[in-house]
Amino acid sequence: MTSTEIARPPSPAQGGGGLRPRIAELDAVRGMALCGILFVNIPPLLSMRGIVDREVLPARQILDLFVQQRFFPIFSLLFGLGFGLFLASAADRAARPRVLLARRLLALLVIGLPHAFLHPGEALVPYAVFGLIFLLPLSLLPGWVNLLVGGGGVVVALAWLGGGLPLIPGLLVLGLALAQFDLPARLPRLGWWIAALFAVSVAGAAVALIAQNRDPLQAGFSVSSGVAGACLATAYVCGLLLLLRTPLRTPLGAVLEPLGRMALTNYVTATLLLIPLGRLIGLEGSSSYGTMALLAVGILLLQVLWSTAWLAFFRQGPLEYVWRIATWWRPLPLRRS
């Protein structure tokens, strides 16, 4: 589920649509978001019970406080950022880069529609639809305008609607603006800014979480829940970026970067795995959140191993490669040289 592979001018060996080196930090952040989203997706897909006698179960309350609506904003922002990076690089080698972006969004829609039959709350279809509606026309505007439009859209969605699906347009446009300001290239010089944003977001999350916890039955529907989600999402991203500047970068990168590089493949295959496995072990309709956590960890471990092994021989994951072919309309190399 990635859009940060970047086009470069074609070479005779490649025939066009080649890839520049990955942005490792973004892959790691995307991998982290993939981990969190899996924990969010299992309960609704298996109709797990989180409320008994109008009381929220402790495990479900932990998910509501620290996971639900916390990783979805990260994914949405990264999609907008990835599409912005793709558009900027495609402009160096194509006369009509927005045609390529439109193709890319339509291809994502085609991939997402069958997935939506299995997973009605999936994100690919909304990303594709909102991308076509908002990203394509707004990509003609300068970065500072999109920063205001995207930021304003996020604030409105949080203040009046409590977050959720209405956040997607604003986050996509905000990600586009960050790409227009070339944020990934600036990350190595933003250490103190990242640390300051981490501290502010943690403080904001603490206040919002206290407010959210006053009415746990409304988690996911209240303004405090949406604000807490935005603050914690920011804190998670900044915290990971800070950890990647320490000796922990190697083990964290070894786990998260392969997940992030094959995020589209892993996002879809997680659904194909968790539904039959969850039913097999009796999770459907249950409140066994400990077993659910074990299932999520097991799937993630399998995907880390699978992604690492696949990427040792191939440039991209299977669905990422299909997405790339659909974007460029030509055969492209998959195996590593």
Side-chain angles (χ1 to χ4, degrees):
M1 194 171 173
T2 174
S3 186
T4 55
E5 65 264 14
I6 302 178
R8 65 181 174 189
S11 67
Q14 290 178 323
L19 302 178
R20 288 179 184 170
R22 302 286 308 190
I23 302 170
E25 290 85 356
L26 295 187
D27 283 331
V29 172
R30 188 177 292 104
M32 176 187 69
L34 190 73
C35 294
I37 284 176
L38 181 58
F39 282 87
V40 172
N41 286 343
I42 294 178
L45 278 175
L46 294 175
S47 303
M48 294 183 65
R49 292 180 292 115
I51 300 173
V52 177
D53 297 330
R54 293 193 59 78
E55 292 290 332
V56 180
L57 297 175
R60 180 53 188 261
Q61 190 167 13
I62 291 173
L63 286 178
D64 288 339
L65 288 172
F66 299 105
V67 183
Q68 184 74 29
Q69 286 200 39
R70 281 45 173 165
F71 295 93
F72 160 74
I74 301 173
F75 241 19
S76 303
L77 184 72
L78 286 175
F79 254 86
L81 178 62
F83 285 129
L85 292 174
F86 174 84
L87 183 61
S89 60
D92 294 335
R93 64 169 306 274
R96 294 185 295 174
R98 285 172 184 81
V99 173
L100 290 173
L101 179 58
R103 245 187 249 160
R104 192 161 183 77
L105 289 164
L106 288 170
L108 183 65
L109 181 62
V110 171
I111 294 171
L113 283 173
H115 183 241
F117 283 102
L118 288 175
H119 184 180
E122 68 98 49
L124 303 181
V125 171
Y127 290 162
V129 172
F130 287 130
L132 289 166
I133 295 172
F134 293 100
L135 287 185
L136 276 176
L138 290 176
S139 67
L140 297 167
L141 300 178
W144 67 269
V145 174
N146 286 327
L147 194 64
L148 292 175
V149 172
V154 170
V155 170
V156 169
L158 288 175
W160 275 275
L161 302 170
L165 192 67
L167 277 174
I168 292 179
L171 288 169
L172 288 177
V173 176
L174 192 58
L176 171 65
L178 295 179
Q180 290 175 308
F181 283 111
D182 202 15
L183 176 69
R186 299 173 186 267
L187 280 177
R189 304 190 297 273
L190 296 177
W192 286 108
W193 288 98
I194 294 172
L197 185 57
F198 174 75
V200 171
S201 59
V202 168
V207 175
L209 285 172
I210 292 172
Q212 174 185 330
N213 206 37
R214 290 175 180 170
D215 190 1
L217 291 176
Q218 290 300 312
F221 302 97
S222 64
V223 172
S224 60
S225 178
V227 172
C231 290
L232 272 180
T234 305
Y236 290 160
V237 171
C238 292
L240 178 59
L241 290 175
L242 292 174
L243 288 175
L244 291 175
R245 295 165 180 262
T246 71
L248 290 175
R249 178 187 181 97
T250 299
L252 285 173
V255 172
L256 296 177
E257 288 175 24
L259 282 175
R261 288 183 63 184
M262 288 178 50
L264 178 60
T265 296
N266 287 329
Y267 179 70
V268 173
T269 55
T271 301
L272 300 178
L273 288 171
L274 70 88
I275 293 177
L277 290 176
R279 290 172 177 171
L280 181 65
I281 62 178
L283 278 182
E284 189 167 30
S286 77
S287 57
S288 303
Y289 282 87
T291 306
M292 183 217 78
L294 291 176
L295 174 63
V297 171
I299 290 174
L300 289 171
L301 287 175
L302 179 64
Q303 289 184 330
V304 170
L305 295 174
W306 139 260
S307 300
T308 303
W310 179 274
L311 292 171
F313 298 97
F314 301 101
R315 298 168 183 262
Q316 293 179 288
L319 281 182
E320 285 78 8
Y321 181 68
V322 170
W323 195 16
R324 184 172 160 222
I325 291 290
T327 299
W328 294 100
W329 283 4
R330 67 189 67 175
L332 299 166
L334 177 61
R335 290 190 63 89
R336 292 186 175 276
S337 301

